[in-house]
Amino acid sequence: MRRTLLTLALAAFGFSGAAHAGTITAGVYNLYNAYVAGYSVTGTVTLDNSGRTTASNLTFNDPNVANPGFPVFNLPYITNAYNGLSQSYITTSNLGGLMALYFNTTADTNGRLNLCIGNAQCGTSPGTTDPSTLQVYGFYNWSTGSNPGLATTNFSSGYLSQNNVVTNPATSVVSEPMSVLLLGTGILGLAGAARLRRA
């Protein structure tokens, strides 16, 4: 019996080395704590396992440019992911604005995919990564009057997360070896207890 328990313990340690790849979890992500020019940007983006945006429903909550149904950024235009960053250009359905959403494709210890905001939040030195930006084109609407629009403006904060919990398997690699260690030592402990019972 002791040999069987020891084999299980070693198998558990061996399994831990193969667990979890460092890819992003595909699915719907919520945008949290995101602001442009003092106004929030809220909603969701859907990502594939490389971090590319496949769908979007983001709203810029500035009443100065909030004509009915606008501005909602819901059309991924160009999206790519490389060097650990996603670069997604998202437009409004009436092509009245453009959002450039840059963010990490590796989660931090809180499971958040941090937006690039023109400083080191994306894990790079200041000035080396383009910040996420938002632009609303000025236009005239006869029912609501003139819309002033918004020039290209940087995000000042923000991150993406699935239900605001750890979502990237890469971040759970840190804690998993400890749980496997406890499992392995527990099995070895059972082997020792069985030996004591026999004695």
Side-chain angles (χ1 to χ4, degrees), residues 31-136:
L31 182 60
Y32 292 97
N33 193 37
Y35 288 88
V36 173
Y39 297 100
S40 66
V41 181
T42 56
T44 63
V45 295
T46 303
L47 307 178
D48 66 14
N49 60 11
S50 296
R52 298 183 186 91
T53 301
T54 59
S56 171
N57 185 20
L58 296 171
T59 301
F60 179 45
N61 298 289
D62 181 351
N64 297 313
V65 293
N67 286 334
F70 182 81
V72 176
F73 295 82
N74 55 5
L75 292 177
Y77 176 57
I78 300 173
T79 180
N80 200 1
Y82 60 93
N83 293 332
L85 290 179
S86 177
Q87 299 186 356
S88 297
Y89 295 87
I90 305 167
T91 66
T92 63
S93 57
N94 62 357
L95 303 181
L98 177 68
M99 184 185 300
L101 205 60
Y102 295 80
F103 54 89
N104 274 327
T105 56
T106 300
D108 65 14
T109 55
N110 295 312
R112 300 170 178 176
L113 307 177
N114 290 318
L115 300 189
C116 301
I117 56 175
N119 59 27
Q121 183 168 334
C122 260
T124 59
S125 300
T128 61
T129 302
D130 289 335
S132 298
T133 60
L134 185 147
Q135 181 178 9
V136 178

Side-chain angles (χ1 to χ4, degrees), residues 1-3 5 186-199:
M1 170 161 180
R2 185 173 53 184
R3 185 176 296 138
L5 291 172
I187 292 172
L188 289 174
L190 287 173
R195 183 180 174 198
L196 285 174
R197 262 193 228 108
R198 278 205 197 125

Side-chain angles (χ1 to χ4, degrees), residues 161-198:
S161 179
Q162 287 183 322
N163 300 320
N164 207 13
V165 297
V166 173
T167 56
N168 191 313
T171 61
S172 61
V173 170
V174 176
S175 59
E176 177 154 338
M178 183 55 68
S179 63
V180 174
L181 175 64
L182 291 172
L183 173 63
T185 54
I187 292 172
L188 289 174
L190 287 173
R195 183 180 174 198
L196 285 174
R197 262 193 228 108
R198 278 205 197 125

